[in-house]
Amino acid sequence: MSPWILLGVALGGAMGASLRFIAVQLIEAPSGFPVATLLVNILGSFLIGVCYVLIMEKAMLSELWRPVLMAGFLGGLTTFSAFSLEAVALFEDGRWQMAISYIVFSTVFCILAAFSGLQITRAI
């Protein structure tokens, strides 16, 4: 493994994590529903579909970008660990309905977003 690729993954991860942090600071739901993490995860799922097609199927970007964008930037941007903690916190607060809604919305919409990213980018 090239140290340059590892550096690219690290920088991409820092950029993605920073963007996620900004989004969480800017998007607050008064209800306590973790909407920022949900939206960031949906966006990241869509973008990973786009990146996959551009890099792996259409070769519009060098394959060297795959780890930087997909593992680094999108790995830092999206966060299963934050999603998990937020869901547990909702359960512990006795907000079972909101927790289950969050889990279902996150799972369904992120998978649909990844599928949409793939399909839209393939069609372009």
Side-chain angles (χ1 to χ4, degrees), residues 63-90:
E63 200 166 321
L64 292 173
W65 282 102
R66 182 179 184 179
V68 174
L69 293 174
M70 295 172 77
F73 180 73
L74 294 174
L77 177 67
T78 62
T79 172
F80 198 77
S81 57
F83 158 74
S84 300
L85 182 61
E86 289 166 344
V88 168
L90 290 170

PDB file of all heavy atoms in Angstrom, residues 63-90:
ATOM      1  N   GLU A  63      -8.657   4.865 -10.529  1.00  0.00           N
ATOM      2  CA  GLU A  63      -8.984   3.970  -9.417  1.00  0.00           C
ATOM      3  C   GLU A  63      -8.251   4.372  -8.141  1.00  0.00           C
ATOM      4  O   GLU A  63      -8.617   3.961  -7.043  1.00  0.00           O
ATOM      5  CB  GLU A  63      -8.686   2.512  -9.781  1.00  0.00           C
ATOM      6  CG  GLU A  63      -9.437   1.567  -8.894  1.00  0.00           C
ATOM      7  CD  GLU A  63      -9.463   0.136  -9.390  1.00  0.00           C
ATOM      8  OE1 GLU A  63      -9.581  -0.074 -10.610  1.00  0.00           O
ATOM      9  OE2 GLU A  63      -9.367  -0.749  -8.539  1.00  0.00           O
ATOM     10  N   LEU A  64      -7.229   5.201  -8.259  1.00  0.00           N
ATOM     11  CA  LEU A  64      -6.532   5.713  -7.079  1.00  0.00           C
ATOM     12  C   LEU A  64      -7.452   6.582  -6.216  1.00  0.00           C
ATOM     13  O   LEU A  64      -7.204   6.756  -5.022  1.00  0.00           O
ATOM     14  CB  LEU A  64      -5.300   6.517  -7.486  1.00  0.00           C
ATOM     15  CG  LEU A  64      -4.165   5.718  -8.125  1.00  0.00           C
ATOM     16  CD1 LEU A  64      -3.073   6.650  -8.639  1.00  0.00           C
ATOM     17  CD2 LEU A  64      -3.594   4.722  -7.124  1.00  0.00           C
ATOM     18  N   TRP A  65      -8.497   7.139  -6.828  1.00  0.00           N
ATOM     19  CA  TRP A  65      -9.446   7.970  -6.083  1.00  0.00           C
ATOM     20  C   TRP A  65     -10.406   7.145  -5.237  1.00  0.00           C
ATOM     21  O   TRP A  65     -11.027   7.664  -4.311  1.00  0.00           O
ATOM     22  CB  TRP A  65     -10.240   8.874  -7.038  1.00  0.00           C
ATOM     23  CG  TRP A  65      -9.449  10.049  -7.479  1.00  0.00           C
ATOM     24  CD1 TRP A  65      -8.817  10.210  -8.680  1.00  0.00           C
ATOM     25  CD2 TRP A  65      -9.182  11.223  -6.721  1.00  0.00           C
ATOM     26  NE1 TRP A  65      -8.176  11.413  -8.721  1.00  0.00           N
ATOM     27  CE2 TRP A  65      -8.378  12.062  -7.517  1.00  0.00           C
ATOM     28  CE3 TRP A  65      -9.529  11.650  -5.445  1.00  0.00           C
ATOM     29  CZ2 TRP A  65      -7.929  13.294  -7.083  1.00  0.00           C
ATOM     30  CZ3 TRP A  65      -9.079  12.886  -5.017  1.00  0.00           C
ATOM     31  CH2 TRP A  65      -8.293  13.694  -5.826  1.00  0.00           C
ATOM     32  N   ARG A  66     -10.540   5.864  -5.550  1.00  0.00           N
ATOM     33  CA  ARG A  66     -11.511   5.031  -4.822  1.00  0.00           C
ATOM     34  C   ARG A  66     -11.264   5.047  -3.313  1.00  0.00           C
ATOM     35  O   ARG A  66     -12.190   5.343  -2.543  1.00  0.00           O
ATOM     36  CB  ARG A  66     -11.520   3.610  -5.367  1.00  0.00           C
ATOM     37  CG  ARG A  66     -12.545   2.740  -4.669  1.00  0.00           C
ATOM     38  CD  ARG A  66     -12.572   1.336  -5.212  1.00  0.00           C
ATOM     39  NE  ARG A  66     -13.644   0.585  -4.573  1.00  0.00           N
ATOM     40  CZ  ARG A  66     -13.921  -0.651  -4.844  1.00  0.00           C
ATOM     41  NH1 ARG A  66     -13.238  -1.313  -5.743  1.00  0.00           N
ATOM     42  NH2 ARG A  66     -14.895  -1.266  -4.213  1.00  0.00           N
ATOM     43  N   PRO A  67     -10.068   4.733  -2.836  1.00  0.00           N
ATOM     44  CA  PRO A  67      -9.896   4.745  -1.379  1.00  0.00           C
ATOM     45  C   PRO A  67     -10.007   6.147  -0.778  1.00  0.00           C
ATOM     46  O   PRO A  67     -10.524   6.304   0.328  1.00  0.00           O
ATOM     47  CB  PRO A  67      -8.498   4.154  -1.167  1.00  0.00           C
ATOM     48  CG  PRO A  67      -7.813   4.261  -2.476  1.00  0.00           C
ATOM     49  CD  PRO A  67      -8.877   4.264  -3.528  1.00  0.00           C
ATOM     50  N   VAL A  68      -9.554   7.152  -1.513  1.00  0.00           N
ATOM     51  CA  VAL A  68      -9.611   8.526  -0.999  1.00  0.00           C
ATOM     52  C   VAL A  68     -11.055   8.978  -0.830  1.00  0.00           C
ATOM     53  O   VAL A  68     -11.441   9.498   0.222  1.00  0.00           O
ATOM     54  CB  VAL A  68      -8.840   9.490  -1.935  1.00  0.00           C
ATOM     55  CG1 VAL A  68      -9.012  10.934  -1.490  1.00  0.00           C
ATOM     56  CG2 VAL A  68      -7.371   9.111  -2.002  1.00  0.00           C
ATOM     57  N   LEU A  69     -11.861   8.767  -1.864  1.00  0.00           N
ATOM     58  CA  LEU A  69     -13.245   9.231  -1.829  1.00  0.00           C
ATOM     59  C   LEU A  69     -14.169   8.300  -1.052  1.00  0.00           C
ATOM     60  O   LEU A  69     -14.969   8.756  -0.226  1.00  0.00           O
ATOM     61  CB  LEU A  69     -13.779   9.406  -3.260  1.00  0.00           C
ATOM     62  CG  LEU A  69     -13.144  10.519  -4.070  1.00  0.00           C
ATOM     63  CD1 LEU A  69     -13.650  10.492  -5.505  1.00  0.00           C
ATOM     64  CD2 LEU A  69     -13.409  11.869  -3.434  1.00  0.00           C
ATOM     65  N   MET A  70     -14.063   7.001  -1.324  1.00  0.00           N
ATOM     66  CA  MET A  70     -15.035   6.072  -0.747  1.00  0.00           C
ATOM     67  C   MET A  70     -14.700   5.684   0.689  1.00  0.00           C
ATOM     68  O   MET A  70     -15.569   5.707   1.558  1.00  0.00           O
ATOM     69  CB  MET A  70     -15.184   4.859  -1.656  1.00  0.00           C
ATOM     70  CG  MET A  70     -15.792   5.242  -3.015  1.00  0.00           C
ATOM     71  SD  MET A  70     -15.807   3.935  -4.245  1.00  0.00           S
ATOM     72  CE  MET A  70     -17.168   2.939  -3.683  1.00  0.00           C
ATOM     73  N   ALA A  71     -13.469   5.319   0.960  1.00  0.00           N
ATOM     74  CA  ALA A  71     -13.093   4.948   2.333  1.00  0.00           C
ATOM     75  C   ALA A  71     -12.810   6.188   3.175  1.00  0.00           C
ATOM     76  O   ALA A  71     -13.230   6.278   4.327  1.00  0.00           O
ATOM     77  CB  ALA A  71     -11.874   4.031   2.325  1.00  0.00           C
ATOM     78  N   GLY A  72     -12.102   7.155   2.572  1.00  0.00           N
ATOM     79  CA  GLY A  72     -11.717   8.354   3.310  1.00  0.00           C
ATOM     80  C   GLY A  72     -12.858   9.342   3.491  1.00  0.00           C
ATOM     81  O   GLY A  72     -13.457   9.431   4.563  1.00  0.00           O
ATOM     82  N   PHE A  73     -13.162  10.082   2.423  1.00  0.00           N
ATOM     83  CA  PHE A  73     -14.147  11.161   2.530  1.00  0.00           C
ATOM     84  C   PHE A  73     -15.533  10.657   2.941  1.00  0.00           C
ATOM     85  O   PHE A  73     -16.114  11.143   3.906  1.00  0.00           O
ATOM     86  CB  PHE A  73     -14.246  11.943   1.209  1.00  0.00           C
ATOM     87  CG  PHE A  73     -15.241  13.052   1.265  1.00  0.00           C
ATOM     88  CD1 PHE A  73     -14.967  14.208   1.976  1.00  0.00           C
ATOM     89  CD2 PHE A  73     -16.470  12.937   0.642  1.00  0.00           C
ATOM     90  CE1 PHE A  73     -15.901  15.231   2.062  1.00  0.00           C
ATOM     91  CE2 PHE A  73     -17.408  13.950   0.711  1.00  0.00           C
ATOM     92  CZ  PHE A  73     -17.121  15.102   1.419  1.00  0.00           C
ATOM     93  N   LEU A  74     -16.064   9.682   2.213  1.00  0.00           N
ATOM     94  CA  LEU A  74     -17.409   9.210   2.526  1.00  0.00           C
ATOM     95  C   LEU A  74     -17.449   8.396   3.814  1.00  0.00           C
ATOM     96  O   LEU A  74     -18.448   8.404   4.532  1.00  0.00           O
ATOM     97  CB  LEU A  74     -17.987   8.420   1.351  1.00  0.00           C
ATOM     98  CG  LEU A  74     -18.227   9.270   0.096  1.00  0.00           C
ATOM     99  CD1 LEU A  74     -18.648   8.403  -1.075  1.00  0.00           C
ATOM    100  CD2 LEU A  74     -19.235  10.368   0.360  1.00  0.00           C
ATOM    101  N   GLY A  75     -16.345   7.699   4.131  1.00  0.00           N
ATOM    102  CA  GLY A  75     -16.264   6.997   5.408  1.00  0.00           C
ATOM    103  C   GLY A  75     -16.257   7.967   6.577  1.00  0.00           C
ATOM    104  O   GLY A  75     -16.838   7.703   7.625  1.00  0.00           O
ATOM    105  N   GLY A  76     -15.596   9.110   6.391  1.00  0.00           N
ATOM    106  CA  GLY A  76     -15.588  10.136   7.436  1.00  0.00           C
ATOM    107  C   GLY A  76     -16.898  10.908   7.506  1.00  0.00           C
ATOM    108  O   GLY A  76     -17.333  11.330   8.570  1.00  0.00           O
ATOM    109  N   LEU A  77     -17.510  11.113   6.344  1.00  0.00           N
ATOM    110  CA  LEU A  77     -18.758  11.868   6.283  1.00  0.00           C
ATOM    111  C   LEU A  77     -19.914  11.102   6.907  1.00  0.00           C
ATOM    112  O   LEU A  77     -20.642  11.616   7.744  1.00  0.00           O
ATOM    113  CB  LEU A  77     -19.097  12.202   4.825  1.00  0.00           C
ATOM    114  CG  LEU A  77     -20.425  12.925   4.584  1.00  0.00           C
ATOM    115  CD1 LEU A  77     -20.389  14.328   5.172  1.00  0.00           C
ATOM    116  CD2 LEU A  77     -20.732  12.971   3.097  1.00  0.00           C
ATOM    117  N   THR A  78     -20.079   9.858   6.509  1.00  0.00           N
ATOM    118  CA  THR A  78     -21.172   9.054   7.050  1.00  0.00           C
ATOM    119  C   THR A  78     -20.679   8.366   8.310  1.00  0.00           C
ATOM    120  O   THR A  78     -19.489   8.183   8.500  1.00  0.00           O
ATOM    121  CB  THR A  78     -21.648   8.012   6.021  1.00  0.00           C
ATOM    122  OG1 THR A  78     -20.575   7.136   5.720  1.00  0.00           O
ATOM    123  CG2 THR A  78     -22.146   8.678   4.770  1.00  0.00           C
ATOM    124  N   THR A  79     -21.596   7.984   9.151  1.00  0.00           N
ATOM    125  CA  THR A  79     -21.146   7.452  10.419  1.00  0.00           C
ATOM    126  C   THR A  79     -22.146   6.481  11.022  1.00  0.00           C
ATOM    127  O   THR A  79     -23.182   6.889  11.525  1.00  0.00           O
ATOM    128  CB  THR A  79     -20.847   8.582  11.410  1.00  0.00           C
ATOM    129  OG1 THR A  79     -20.604   8.019  12.680  1.00  0.00           O
ATOM    130  CG2 THR A  79     -21.954   9.587  11.507  1.00  0.00           C
ATOM    131  N   PHE A  80     -21.823   5.238  10.924  1.00  0.00           N
ATOM    132  CA  PHE A  80     -22.693   4.235  11.530  1.00  0.00           C
ATOM    133  C   PHE A  80     -22.601   4.282  13.049  1.00  0.00           C
ATOM    134  O   PHE A  80     -23.584   4.013  13.738  1.00  0.00           O
ATOM    135  CB  PHE A  80     -22.335   2.836  11.004  1.00  0.00           C
ATOM    136  CG  PHE A  80     -23.426   1.846  11.226  1.00  0.00           C
ATOM    137  CD1 PHE A  80     -24.546   1.830  10.419  1.00  0.00           C
ATOM    138  CD2 PHE A  80     -23.351   0.927  12.255  1.00  0.00           C
ATOM    139  CE1 PHE A  80     -25.572   0.924  10.631  1.00  0.00           C
ATOM    140  CE2 PHE A  80     -24.363   0.011  12.474  1.00  0.00           C
ATOM    141  CZ  PHE A  80     -25.480   0.005  11.659  1.00  0.00           C
ATOM    142  N   SER A  81     -21.448   4.657  13.557  1.00  0.00           N
ATOM    143  CA  SER A  81     -21.298   4.706  15.013  1.00  0.00           C
ATOM    144  C   SER A  81     -22.160   5.814  15.618  1.00  0.00           C
ATOM    145  O   SER A  81     -22.806   5.595  16.652  1.00  0.00           O
ATOM    146  CB  SER A  81     -19.827   4.905  15.396  1.00  0.00           C
ATOM    147  OG  SER A  81     -19.310   6.073  14.808  1.00  0.00           O
ATOM    148  N   ALA A  82     -22.210   6.979  15.000  1.00  0.00           N
ATOM    149  CA  ALA A  82     -23.073   8.053  15.511  1.00  0.00           C
ATOM    150  C   ALA A  82     -24.541   7.651  15.393  1.00  0.00           C
ATOM    151  O   ALA A  82     -25.340   7.882  16.310  1.00  0.00           O
ATOM    152  CB  ALA A  82     -22.814   9.364  14.761  1.00  0.00           C
ATOM    153  N   PHE A  83     -24.897   7.044  14.274  1.00  0.00           N
ATOM    154  CA  PHE A  83     -26.262   6.545  14.068  1.00  0.00           C
ATOM    155  C   PHE A  83     -26.628   5.576  15.195  1.00  0.00           C
ATOM    156  O   PHE A  83     -27.699   5.681  15.800  1.00  0.00           O
ATOM    157  CB  PHE A  83     -26.347   5.870  12.694  1.00  0.00           C
ATOM    158  CG  PHE A  83     -27.468   4.883  12.537  1.00  0.00           C
ATOM    159  CD1 PHE A  83     -28.775   5.307  12.406  1.00  0.00           C
ATOM    160  CD2 PHE A  83     -27.204   3.522  12.511  1.00  0.00           C
ATOM    161  CE1 PHE A  83     -29.814   4.397  12.250  1.00  0.00           C
ATOM    162  CE2 PHE A  83     -28.232   2.607  12.355  1.00  0.00           C
ATOM    163  CZ  PHE A  83     -29.541   3.041  12.234  1.00  0.00           C
ATOM    164  N   SER A  84     -25.743   4.641  15.494  1.00  0.00           N
ATOM    165  CA  SER A  84     -26.008   3.640  16.523  1.00  0.00           C
ATOM    166  C   SER A  84     -26.189   4.284  17.898  1.00  0.00           C
ATOM    167  O   SER A  84     -27.127   3.951  18.631  1.00  0.00           O
ATOM    168  CB  SER A  84     -24.866   2.621  16.586  1.00  0.00           C
ATOM    169  OG  SER A  84     -24.729   1.978  15.345  1.00  0.00           O
ATOM    170  N   LEU A  85     -25.300   5.214  18.236  1.00  0.00           N
ATOM    171  CA  LEU A  85     -25.376   5.877  19.535  1.00  0.00           C
ATOM    172  C   LEU A  85     -26.652   6.707  19.655  1.00  0.00           C
ATOM    173  O   LEU A  85     -27.314   6.696  20.705  1.00  0.00           O
ATOM    174  CB  LEU A  85     -24.144   6.762  19.752  1.00  0.00           C
ATOM    175  CG  LEU A  85     -24.069   7.473  21.087  1.00  0.00           C
ATOM    176  CD1 LEU A  85     -24.020   6.458  22.233  1.00  0.00           C
ATOM    177  CD2 LEU A  85     -22.857   8.385  21.124  1.00  0.00           C
ATOM    178  N   GLU A  86     -27.008   7.409  18.582  1.00  0.00           N
ATOM    179  CA  GLU A  86     -28.222   8.218  18.619  1.00  0.00           C
ATOM    180  C   GLU A  86     -29.464   7.327  18.772  1.00  0.00           C
ATOM    181  O   GLU A  86     -30.385   7.666  19.520  1.00  0.00           O
ATOM    182  CB  GLU A  86     -28.323   9.081  17.362  1.00  0.00           C
ATOM    183  CG  GLU A  86     -27.300  10.203  17.358  1.00  0.00           C
ATOM    184  CD  GLU A  86     -27.118  10.871  16.009  1.00  0.00           C
ATOM    185  OE1 GLU A  86     -27.542  10.308  14.983  1.00  0.00           O
ATOM    186  OE2 GLU A  86     -26.525  11.965  15.986  1.00  0.00           O
ATOM    187  N   ALA A  87     -29.481   6.196  18.104  1.00  0.00           N
ATOM    188  CA  ALA A  87     -30.613   5.276  18.231  1.00  0.00           C
ATOM    189  C   ALA A  87     -30.701   4.732  19.659  1.00  0.00           C
ATOM    190  O   ALA A  87     -31.792   4.690  20.253  1.00  0.00           O
ATOM    191  CB  ALA A  87     -30.482   4.130  17.231  1.00  0.00           C
ATOM    192  N   VAL A  88     -29.572   4.340  20.235  1.00  0.00           N
ATOM    193  CA  VAL A  88     -29.555   3.836  21.612  1.00  0.00           C
ATOM    194  C   VAL A  88     -30.023   4.926  22.575  1.00  0.00           C
ATOM    195  O   VAL A  88     -30.807   4.664  23.497  1.00  0.00           O
ATOM    196  CB  VAL A  88     -28.153   3.313  21.994  1.00  0.00           C
ATOM    197  CG1 VAL A  88     -28.044   3.074  23.490  1.00  0.00           C
ATOM    198  CG2 VAL A  88     -27.835   2.043  21.220  1.00  0.00           C
ATOM    199  N   ALA A  89     -29.557   6.146  22.362  1.00  0.00           N
ATOM    200  CA  ALA A  89     -29.955   7.253  23.243  1.00  0.00           C
ATOM    201  C   ALA A  89     -31.471   7.474  23.185  1.00  0.00           C
ATOM    202  O   ALA A  89     -32.105   7.735  24.222  1.00  0.00           O
ATOM    203  CB  ALA A  89     -29.219   8.533  22.854  1.00  0.00           C
ATOM    204  N   LEU A  90     -32.047   7.379  21.996  1.00  0.00           N
ATOM    205  CA  LEU A  90     -33.502   7.525  21.877  1.00  0.00           C
ATOM    206  C   LEU A  90     -34.223   6.408  22.633  1.00  0.00           C
ATOM    207  O   LEU A  90     -35.213   6.659  23.329  1.00  0.00           O
ATOM    208  CB  LEU A  90     -33.918   7.540  20.401  1.00  0.00           C
ATOM    209  CG  LEU A  90     -33.515   8.789  19.612  1.00  0.00           C
ATOM    210  CD1 LEU A  90     -33.768   8.592  18.123  1.00  0.00           C
ATOM    211  CD2 LEU A  90     -34.258  10.013  20.129  1.00  0.00           C
TER     212      LEU A  90
END
